[in-house]
Amino acid sequence: MFHNEGFHVLDRQECLRRLTKVPVGRVVYTRQALPAVLPVNFSLDADSSVLLRTSAGSGLVHAIDGVVVAFEADDFDAAARSGWSVVVTGRAAVVTDPAELERLSRVGPRSWVVTRDDVLVRVESEMVTGREVTGAHGAA
């Protein structure tokens, strides 16, 4: 681990472990040639992919299917000035394989919003980075 002024880099396994501890993250993508960020609930699949469930007609699905996106999740304690952040970068794709959809319908994320036409989106964990802040040194 690299130590630097109150934070240190998390290895891939620690990043993935921490992602299992929080229910909400953010998808970072491009919408109409501009950066966009959308909070989403998620889960991790056995292969460490990030799984999202959303409406088939959503703008998010149309914007991210087949393109590289970033996904970020974190947890912070403002009083202790500590916390962590993990970023997963990889290609997003709507899951279309019937067997995979069946399996993921049992173990994948549950949407916080009820939709009739939901789809599952997988974000491959091609690059996983994270860091932990352990408190501000010398802060008043």
Side-chain angles (χ1 to χ4, degrees):
M1 289 188 295
F2 176 78
H3 294 275
N4 184 9
E5 301 298 319
F7 77 87
H8 68 271
V9 174
L10 303 173
D11 66 29
R12 180 183 175 93
Q13 289 307 318
E14 182 61 17
C15 287
L16 295 171
R17 186 188 72 76
R18 291 187 187 213
L19 286 178
T20 67
K21 304 295 182 190
V22 294
V24 175
R26 292 153 212 75
V27 177
V28 182
Y29 62 103
T30 303
R31 180 177 58 212
Q32 298 176 354
L34 296 172
V37 179
L38 186 67
V40 294
N41 66 302
F42 73 101
S43 66
L44 286 184
D45 200 3
D47 68 354
S48 302
S49 295
V50 174
L51 298 171
L52 318 171
R53 185 183 301 267
T54 189
S55 169
S58 74
L60 176 64
V61 169
H62 297 294
I64 70 173
D65 189 23
V67 300
V68 174
V69 300
F71 174 83
E72 188 271 344
D74 55 48
D75 190 25
F76 289 96
D77 179 340
R81 296 181 179 189
S82 63
W84 57 267
S85 174
V86 170
V87 176
V88 174
T89 305
R91 186 163 305 278
V94 173
V95 178
T96 57
D97 177 69
E100 188 70 353
L101 284 170
E102 175 62 28
R103 181 183 73 82
L104 293 175
S105 71
R106 293 188 306 274
V107 300
R110 300 286 173 241
S111 179
W112 288 11
V113 178
V114 178
T115 63
R116 290 182 225 173
D117 63 343
D118 63 338
V119 295
L120 284 160
V121 176
R122 175 186 304 282
V123 177
E124 299 294 336
S125 59
E126 296 169 22
M127 185 169 45
V128 180
T129 60
R131 68 182 192 169
E132 179 176 37
V133 177
T134 55
H137 296 288

